[in-house]
Amino acid sequence: MSAGCIFCRIIKGEIPSKNIFEDDDVLVFHDIHPIAPVHFLIVPKLHIESLASAKHSDQVLLGKMLLLAPKLATELGLEGFRTMINTGREGGQDVFHIHIHVFGGGANLPKT
Ligand code: AMP
Ligand code: ZN
């Protein structure tokens, strides 16, 4: 837990979220400002600031997060999806608690 971290506060239940999946390691919830018809975030319960600060000991957790993307996308009826991990200010990261964005649900996905 990191004081003041918005995702830690969501994980603690202090801020409401529209959850899709939860277990001991991970919370998945809909993004509050979706930029695709379906846009959810895969967030570890462990406070890791970013992909740049992830450690070798986080390897299993990161793999678990990645494998949740296709599983949950399928459960939500998506035929395809896009993943994104913003890293650092220059990488467009606003919330410094690592998360995987998953986008899907139509042809209007933002182009990169
Ligand atoms: P990033 O720019 O990669 O750090 O993405 C942070 C994401 O968190 C943005 O897409 C925000 O819309 C989303 N976000 C911020 N606050 C909340 C919240 N309270 N509930 C759900 N998503 C949020
Ligand atoms: Zn956090």
Side-chain angles (χ1 to χ4, degrees):
M1 289 297 158
S2 177
C5 169
I6 189 162
F7 285 178
C8 282
R9 295 189 65 197
I10 288 174
I11 290 160
K12 281 165 75 180
E14 292 177 359
I15 295 174
S17 54
K18 287 168 63 182
N19 296 350
I20 296 169
F21 174 86
E22 180 171 15
D23 69 8
D24 288 347
D25 302 317
V26 177
L27 182 65
V28 182
F29 51 89
H30 290 281
D31 197 291
I32 202 165
H33 295 126
I35 58 169
V38 177
H39 179 183
F40 61 89
L41 304 173
I42 302 175
V43 182
K45 291 191 172 178
L46 181 67
H47 181 87
I48 300 168
E49 280 205 359
S50 77
L51 190 56
S53 58
K55 299 184 173 62
H56 189 262
S57 56
D58 300 319
Q59 185 165 297
V60 171
L61 178 59
L62 293 172
K64 176 174 180 170
M65 289 166 59
L66 207 50
L67 291 175
L68 270 174
K71 179 178 186 294
L72 297 176
T74 299
E75 287 178 11
L76 290 173
L78 302 178
E79 292 183 7
F81 61 91
R82 180 178 300 165
T83 50
M84 179 174 80
I85 303 174
N86 295 325
T87 302
R89 289 265 175 239
E90 288 194 18
Q93 185 175 5
D94 288 325
V95 176
F96 281 78
H97 180 133
I98 192 170
H99 50 281
I100 301 175
H101 293 258
V102 180
F103 307 105
N108 293 327
L109 286 177
K111 292 293 177 192
T112 54

